[in-house]
Amino acid sequence: METLVCTTPGQFEYRKAEKPVLTPDHTIIKIKRVGVCGTDLHAFEGTQPFFNYPRILGHELAGEIVETDGAPDFTVGEAVTFIPYFNCGTCIACRQGKPNCCTTLKVSGVHIDGGMLEYISVPSYSLVHGDGLNFDELALVEPLAIGAHGIRRADIIAGEHVLVVGAGPIGLGVMEFARIAGGKVIALDINDSRLEFCREKLNVSATVNGLTDNVAGKLAEITGGDMPTAIIDATGSLRAINTAFSYLAHGGRYVLVGLQKGDISFSHPEFHKREATLMSSRNATRADFEHVIKSMKNGLIDPKTYITHRVAFGEVKDRFESWLDPASGVIKAMVSLE
């Protein structure tokens, strides 16, 4: 089968590999779609934590079951996605129902090879029924589940102001699920075209440009002086993460969905006087995947909104680098293997 390997930062190479053989309690999936996400772009740049090379990227995946063992509820030929975070099942996090932050977690396309290939073998416990969704929709479930999980961590209350920092694909998913939870969503980014997308496609309550607006002043105006009671970072930018501490309302919660390599820093007195809550949000759970699928089926999310670029598998090597440029206008690039 054909695979696409990121050999070093900035370099891809198509390579032949053996098609996987069925093993106990695993399922072989013929990949149909691969969504390209920020993790893939950062890995290509060489800025992704928890990463080494060479690596086959790709964890936003949809396909068709070819062979299966240990999955009695699934059938050959069924359209599926899967939860690409493989956990041990026995550590403290797994025992507490948090397999998404397992102590030995292996994320497909990050710690282990992912889905930029024709066939993949995955643990059968990770399978998720397609439930009538098409391959495009199924490949979008995982990135949207990241946003759903972040909002679940934030425990959004209907009517409160939720500031989402970063209007990339993950941030857009965060905004969708903040809206579904009843939050008044404020989008903060430095890219006007992304902010326009938020207004026109996602119907967010307000947008703020971090370069041209007085951010603190505008947030105070939008919230009637209260400031946002929930902030979710989806940038992975150290500067953005550190700065957003000053935008948080007293008694508020700050959730880090975005990830970067360095140390965050903030004023302890300012944080302390707010009696603020700081938490991280890692990956997603089966409940989040199911919430996304249900939201799609109920028309609360339009998956077509996100896909701005389409390429065939054989074109990825030549096209991938262009998606690093904000001028490309890419929201979600979708790779087809049909």
Side-chain angles (χ1 to χ4, degrees), residues 12 53-54 87 146 197 200 218 225 248-249 258 263 276 292 304 337:
F12 275 122
Y53 304 84
N87 61 292
I146 299 291
F197 183 93
E200 294 186 354
K218 191 164 183 180
L248 187 63
D263 297 332
V292 171
K304 298 190 297 295
L337 281 86

XYZ file of all heavy atoms in Angstrom, residues 12 53-54 87 146 197 200 218 225 248-249 258 263 276 292 304 337:
133
model
N 8.179 15.576 3.170
C 7.317 14.405 3.014
C 7.919 13.459 1.983
O 8.628 13.881 1.066
C 5.924 14.803 2.504
C 4.957 15.230 3.576
C 4.363 16.477 3.538
C 4.621 14.371 4.612
C 3.449 16.870 4.501
C 3.707 14.755 5.587
C 3.133 16.006 5.525
N 10.403 11.914 14.554
C 10.376 11.601 13.130
C 11.208 10.349 12.859
O 12.120 10.039 13.623
C 10.933 12.786 12.329
C 10.223 14.083 12.602
C 10.577 14.873 13.705
C 9.186 14.535 11.788
C 9.916 16.063 13.976
C 8.532 15.724 12.055
C 8.902 16.494 13.147
O 8.241 17.669 13.416
N 10.920 9.641 11.767
C 9.840 9.849 10.796
C 8.490 9.449 11.360
O 8.410 8.639 12.286
C 10.249 8.945 9.632
C 11.015 7.835 10.286
C 11.761 8.477 11.418
N -5.343 3.955 24.713
C -5.047 4.022 26.143
C -4.789 2.638 26.714
O -5.144 1.621 26.105
C -6.199 4.685 26.891
C -7.500 3.908 26.752
O -8.070 3.842 25.668
N -7.963 3.318 27.840
N -12.773 17.531 19.997
C -11.809 18.283 20.811
C -12.484 19.522 21.395
O -12.344 19.845 22.577
C -10.589 18.693 19.965
C -9.850 17.469 19.418
C -9.650 19.585 20.768
C -9.131 16.649 20.437
N -15.498 34.771 8.989
C -16.059 33.415 8.938
C -16.882 33.145 10.194
O -17.978 32.573 10.124
C -14.914 32.409 8.808
C -15.356 30.976 8.666
C -15.525 30.409 7.416
C -15.593 30.186 9.788
C -15.929 29.077 7.281
C -15.996 28.865 9.659
C -16.159 28.322 8.405
N -20.206 35.126 9.907
C -21.125 34.745 8.838
C -21.556 33.282 8.896
O -22.695 32.955 8.577
C -20.481 35.044 7.485
C -20.271 36.521 7.229
C -19.768 36.801 5.825
O -19.482 35.840 5.086
O -19.662 37.996 5.470
N -12.656 46.363 24.574
C -13.789 45.857 23.815
C -14.488 44.725 24.553
O -15.719 44.628 24.533
C -13.331 45.393 22.434
C -14.490 45.110 21.484
C -14.065 45.039 20.034
C -15.284 44.818 19.148
N -14.929 44.733 17.710
N -18.832 45.238 31.335
C -17.850 45.460 32.386
C -17.468 44.222 33.167
O -16.536 44.261 33.984
N -9.821 37.592 32.059
C -10.735 36.696 32.767
C -11.522 37.418 33.851
O -10.972 38.186 34.642
C -9.943 35.548 33.386
C -10.726 34.410 34.043
C -11.592 33.691 33.020
C -9.759 33.423 34.700
N -12.820 37.147 33.904
C -13.674 37.701 34.960
C -13.298 37.123 36.318
O -12.721 36.035 36.421
C -15.137 37.368 34.661
N -5.405 24.622 23.349
C -4.183 24.747 22.570
C -2.972 24.323 23.384
O -2.970 24.401 24.615
N 6.844 27.330 28.894
C 6.224 27.522 30.201
C 5.274 28.711 30.146
O 5.643 29.784 29.643
C 7.278 27.785 31.272
C 8.230 26.619 31.461
O 7.817 25.479 31.197
O 9.383 26.858 31.861
N -9.660 32.323 40.357
C -9.853 31.755 39.031
C -9.525 30.259 39.014
O -8.835 29.741 39.878
C -8.973 32.483 38.022
N -20.885 14.963 19.284
C -20.653 15.579 17.977
C -21.548 14.938 16.915
O -22.202 15.642 16.129
C -19.171 15.447 17.566
C -18.983 15.881 16.115
C -18.286 16.287 18.485
N -20.215 20.883 6.266
C -19.753 21.436 4.989
C -19.115 22.802 5.172
O -18.317 23.243 4.337
C -20.914 21.519 3.995
C -21.547 20.188 3.616
C -22.521 20.341 2.458
C -23.697 21.246 2.806
N -24.557 20.689 3.880
N -8.996 9.485 -0.468
C -8.293 8.296 -0.925
C -9.211 7.414 -1.759
O -9.093 6.205 -1.780
C -7.738 7.498 0.256
C -6.450 8.057 0.865
C -6.740 9.119 1.898
C -5.621 6.947 1.497
